[in-house]
Amino acid sequence: MSPVFALAVDIGGTKLAAALVEPGGRIAHYDRMQTPVDLDAEGLWRSLEALLDKLLAEAGGGDLAGVGVGCGGPMRWPSAEVSPLNIPAWRDFPLRERLRARHPGLPVRVHNDAICMAVGEHWRGAGRGRDNVLGMVVSTGVGGGLILGGHLIDGASGNAGHIGHVVVDPEGPPCKCGGRGCLEAVARGPGLVAWAQEQGWRPDRAEVTGVELADDARRGHPVATAAMRRAGRALGVAIASATHLCDLEVVSVGGGLSQAGPLLFDPLEEAFRAHARMDFAREVRVVPAALGQTAGLIGAAALVFAADRYWSAD
Amino acid sequence: MSPVFALAVDIGGTKLAAALVEPGGRIAHYDRMQTPVDLDAEGLWRSLEALLDKLLAEAGGGDLAGVGVGCGGPMRWPSAEVSPLNIPAWRDFPLRERLRARHPGLPVRVHNDAICMAVGEHWRGAGRGRDNVLGMVVSTGVGGGLILGGHLIDGASGNAGHIGHVVVDPEGPPCKCGGRGCLEAVARGPGLVAWAQEQGWRPDRAEVTGVELADDARRGHPVATAAMRRAGRALGVAIASATHLCDLEVVSVGGGLSQAGPLLFDPLEEAFRAHARMDFAREVRVVPAALGQTAGLIGAAALVFAADRYWSAD
């Protein structure tokens, strides 16, 4: 019997990744490339097609059950005209329509990349077996996805899960969204890096991100440590709010910043426990994401293989 | 043909109310009594039974499709051993079991009173026809219920919708829950009254609540007006957080404090628009609840008549 795969795709500003994923969630074949930065919309599409052709050729056969895609937002959903913040070449690019034309007769499902990561963590990661889970990504931005009652919550426009814009301090720093004191404004990597540099952090590399800051925190740099504490506290407050509003069981936290480990999770837990005080919030666990870099691909595959739980649209 | 009703019950610290509600949501028969304060658990149960007997006798016939109840929390859900904060006589009182014994063969469904009000507003009130709605009650406490994807969200323990414990200021006033800076700590009627009295509000009545404060605000009292502004801003921040997290369409705000009208809703809207800045949040409307005092009864009836949307338990 010929194997059955989901073709899973993860489209971000740094890399394009694709995989053939088995119905159980195992990645059977994988390939990736840097996201081209100097191509126009059609050139970028042809690069993606070449990556998919190569992957399918390497796999040498097997039936496709469908195509699942996580893509940086924003997008019109579920039609998936995508305008990823970090991919300027695509503005209202008809990603779903193109993939449907390429794979006629197959279901093609596209969702926000952070939502796919949350779905992956729920399907096969830290949230497995629980019905009420928030999956978070703390990186250049802060995103997430919300599974309640065992089903992915889409909200009015496919944007549910945007915990990065939960307010943690109404008088806090301005946010790119135009608001003030959003979790993302405090805890996103570049925001933390800027804060740490203001406080006297002088990294010995030219280009720094939250990952280098987390590294320096692990090495004991006091300002880098303070930056992780600042992010951890903001995360703890936002997660407490989400827990009370949605009556969660598990919150998984992934993304580059989560590599700081206890330096992030200890202040997070402290602030979370200080604010999540309703009886029903006592059992909630906040844990590091389990799937790492492949969470988004596995979640994209779940849009195909577990559509009853993760895909509510047409 | 004999009419079909849901027996709807609303159990609060101030009053016990019951109604026979038609499948379309109209209240055909209604009765109420003050909640007895000097009875033990069984005495209170007998009072409730007497109220229900009287209502059913007045109605003089008709078939019951089921029993729906909104009751003050907390409770173990869905088994509904209830321990309403404002009804000390009932601690772990087996309300659902008693009602089942009284109405054998009928579905008996009990939920939190604020959730029933939100369900009522979604079924037949300000959220009607929308799939993503937060219904709020701002009164002695601040509660709510969450409808997403057209279905009531229960969360892990039936406690989803607790917007009163979304954090609006991590350094804010202590909350009864043990946390700090919860929406409820700032915006609950007694909290506002205390704040207004500290600021020099001297009401000419002995017993005052948020309703009197709202009245004085409407009459132009500057401290009472400032108190409404304080509550409105906190509400706006919390609603912005909920909107971003859940991708809502409509937020209905009811309860005694909402009687302050624009004095509450104007600063609410201002803070909400300042913080709800993601594109997808632009279309959200925050509106006064439409059903008034009967929202909870109508929502309790919806647990019977629209169980596919509002009742996920056994």
Side-chain angles (χ1 to χ4, degrees), chain B:
Chain B
M1 204 176 72
S2 155
V4 176
F5 298 121
L7 175 57
V9 187
D10 187 7
I11 298 173
T14 309
K15 70 170 197 291
L16 308 177
L20 294 174
V21 181
E22 298 173 354
R26 198 183 76 89
I27 291 180
H29 302 275
Y30 172 86
D31 207 350
R32 58 179 278 175
M33 62 181 292
Q34 283 199 318
T35 306
V37 293
D38 46 6
L39 298 179
D40 64 4
E42 294 304 322
L44 182 56
W45 167 248
R46 282 191 298 272
S47 300
L48 178 64
E49 280 205 298
L51 177 72
L52 301 185
D53 287 342
K54 182 155 159 271
L55 179 75
L56 291 164
E58 285 164 4
D63 290 330
L64 287 188
V67 183
V69 184
C71 183
M75 69 179 70
R76 258 195 297 277
W77 184 89
S79 56
E81 288 96 23
V82 303
S83 308
L85 280 179
N86 299 319
I87 305 181
W90 279 0
R91 287 296 171 265
D92 288 323
F93 184 80
L95 181 60
R96 193 181 188 196
E97 187 185 302
R98 293 295 182 91
L99 287 164
R100 277 176 159 164
R102 191 186 137 88
H103 297 281
L106 287 187
V108 173
R109 294 168 185 152
V110 183
H111 225 316
N112 184 287
D113 54 357
I115 287 178
C116 284
M117 285 188 252
V119 166
E121 286 292 331
H122 183 251
W123 193 43
R124 292 295 179 253
R128 189 171 183 165
R130 297 293 177 158
D131 278 346
N132 300 280
V133 173
L134 171 66
M136 297 179 63
V137 190
V138 186
S139 177
T140 311
V142 178
L146 200 51
I147 288 93
L148 298 175
H151 294 266
L152 177 65
I153 298 297
D154 293 305
S157 59
N159 279 293
H162 259 88
I163 187 154
H165 300 276
V166 163
V167 180
V168 295
D169 177 3
E171 309 298 323
C175 184
K176 283 184 308 170
C177 72
R180 183 173 280 281
C182 298
L183 171 61
E184 179 168 290
V186 178
R188 67 191 288 259
L192 278 185
V193 164
W195 182 86
Q197 288 178 322
E198 276 169 29
Q199 309 292 315
W201 182 52
R202 297 281 173 270
D204 52 10
R205 286 132 299 185
E207 278 199 35
V208 289
T209 69
V211 174
E212 281 77 37
L213 189 64
D215 283 346
D216 266 13
R218 272 205 308 272
R219 287 189 205 102
H221 192 293
V223 172
T225 307
M228 292 303 122
R229 201 158 51 231
R230 179 176 157 86
R233 280 200 295 246
L235 287 161
V237 169
I239 295 172
S241 289
T243 294
H244 283 151
L245 185 61
C246 299
D247 192 3
L248 302 167
E249 289 162 276
V250 171
V251 179
S252 80
V253 182
L257 220 62
S258 66
Q259 295 172 22
L263 290 167
L264 183 75
F265 280 89
D266 285 353
L268 187 167
E269 185 76 14
E270 190 184 329
F272 174 68
R273 294 298 163 195
H275 285 285
R277 296 299 285 268
M278 298 292 283
D279 273 352
F280 68 85
R282 281 203 195 138
E283 306 288 318
V284 179
R285 292 179 305 116
V286 184
V287 298
L291 299 182
Q293 297 274 340
T294 60
L297 287 168
I298 292 171
L303 301 183
V304 173
F305 286 130
D308 57 321
R309 281 181 278 166
Y310 303 120
W311 188 254
S312 70
D314 294 330

Side-chain angles (χ1 to χ4, degrees), chain A residues 5 10 12 48 66 79 101 134 169 181 195 203 239 259 281-282:
Chain A
F5 299 119
D10 187 8
L48 178 64
S79 56
L134 172 66
D169 177 3
W195 182 86
I239 295 172
Q259 295 175 22
R282 280 202 196 141

